Amino acid sequence: MRIVIAGAGIVGRRLAARLASGRHDVTVIDLNRELCDAVSAEYGVVAICGNATDIVILEEAEIAKADVAVALTGLSADNLAFSLLAHGAGVERIIARMPNPRYRAAYERAGVTSILDATGLFLDRLVLEIERPPVHQVATIADGQGVIVWITVAEGSAAGGRSLDELRADRRFPRGCMISGLLRADGEKLLFPTGRDRLLPGDQVLLVGTIDGVTRAADLLGQRQGIASLLFRRRRHRADEEAHARLETAVESETEEPEEEIRDVDVPEA
């Protein structure tokens, strides 16, 4: 594939290295000439020194021939402008890093097909590592209509010792929920259980369903309090998101991603 990357920061360089090792045709655009020279020398990709929001630079990068355009600059406004120009050039797949969640709607209108909230993903993972609750969310689906969660089977719960067929036959088990995976308490291998598999205390169950369905399933697994806490955190996060976005906008207007020295350019392990 032909891929154009806007931004030769740490993420941009590592992405270019991975893609180049996979024999893709990669072009990187960055304002820092030394970084461009280093990226070209280290990874053997085309590196153009210039502004990725300049149509002349994009024409030099042959953006119209790109299969994928990736916006990885440090500013949401620059990522937005690059994405808009790439969309106008006919690029079908546009991936953009979103430093500021306030830009999400604008990214979508600009034709961005995949929005990466890297900061949000990192924070979710960090909170999980700190709290390790019996219930934790993996993802939301269908604009928040559904969720994917891991739930640990509690000691003494109604599901303990029962097969999945028996559990599904229980009138309390919701229709708006599916058991998609099972991680045994005494092992690390992910199982895709059959109806004969029995749930044991300490097992982790992967549930996919509506919020109501998952909440009712959590009752049977003995984790009602855990799921309630999770949903409360989700509501609180939504309420705080706009305030955080305003703060990040103010900071972003004064601060750009710092330039990195050439010695930071390392070829990542395959």
Side-chain angles (χ1 to χ4, degrees):
M1 288 190 296
R2 184 184 295 268
I3 301 150
V4 176
I5 302 172
I10 293 175
V11 177
R13 295 198 304 265
R14 292 178 68 88
L15 178 62
R18 291 288 183 91
L19 292 173
S21 66
R23 301 185 181 278
H24 294 291
D25 185 354
V26 180
T27 299
V28 177
I29 304 172
D30 197 274
L31 287 169
N32 188 313
R33 182 171 297 279
E34 291 183 339
L35 277 178
C36 288
D37 291 343
V39 167
S40 180
E42 291 286 342
Y43 309 140
V45 304
V46 176
I48 299 174
C49 181
N51 193 327
T53 65
D54 186 334
I55 189 64
V56 175
I57 296 296
L58 293 181
E59 288 175 350
E60 183 180 350
E62 298 184 318
I63 189 68
K65 297 181 180 180
D67 298 298
V68 183
V70 186
L72 293 174
T73 75
L75 296 177
S76 292
D78 285 349
N79 287 340
L80 175 61
F82 170 77
S83 300
L84 188 61
L85 291 171
H87 181 64
V91 182
E92 294 186 359
R93 295 179 58 198
I94 303 172
I95 303 170
R97 179 171 64 181
M98 184 177 64
N100 188 332
R102 209 171 183 183
Y103 280 79
R104 178 178 291 276
Y107 277 18
E108 292 172 349
R109 289 195 294 269
V112 176
T113 53
S114 298
I115 301 173
L116 303 179
D117 183 5
T119 301
L121 292 173
F122 172 76
L123 290 176
D124 287 345
R125 178 66 182 178
L126 186 59
V127 170
L128 173 61
E129 290 297 328
I130 292 172
E131 296 182 348
R132 288 201 175 273
V135 179
H136 65 265
Q137 178 177 310
V138 176
T140 59
I141 54 179
D143 294 326
Q145 297 179 67
V147 292
I148 304 174
V149 299
W150 281 106
I151 295 184
T152 301
V153 180
E155 188 74 40
S157 72
R162 301 174 70 182
S163 70
L164 294 189
D165 281 342
E166 292 172 341
L167 188 62
R168 294 184 185 116
D170 191 316
R171 289 186 299 175
R172 293 173 294 174
F173 191 82
R175 296 182 62 183
C177 184
M178 295 172 47
I179 298 176
S180 301
L182 177 63
L183 193 61
R184 291 295 186 191
D186 58 355
E188 297 182 353
K189 185 177 180 180
L190 175 63
L191 305 176
F192 297 95
T194 68
R196 297 187 300 273
D197 287 311
R198 295 186 178 276
L199 299 182
L200 303 175
D203 288 348
Q204 293 184 63
V205 180
L206 184 65
L207 299 179
V208 181
T210 64
I211 292 177
D212 178 65
V214 170
T215 301
R216 292 171 59 191
D219 273 338
L220 292 176
L221 297 171
Q223 299 293 2
R224 174 73 181 206
Q225 184 175 0
I227 195 74
S229 176
L230 173 66
L231 296 177
F232 171 76
R233 286 199 301 271
R234 290 180 69 246
R235 288 194 295 269
R236 183 176 59 189
H237 172 74
R238 290 175 180 173
D240 291 344
E241 190 175 62
E242 185 175 349
H244 288 306
R246 287 197 298 268
L247 177 60
E248 289 172 1
T249 300
V251 173
E252 187 182 76
S253 65
E254 300 177 1
T255 307
E256 296 188 8
E257 184 179 46
E259 296 180 354
E260 299 132 55
E261 297 181 5
I262 301 304
R263 63 172 178 269
D264 290 335
V265 181
D266 298 319
V267 178
E269 296 180 3

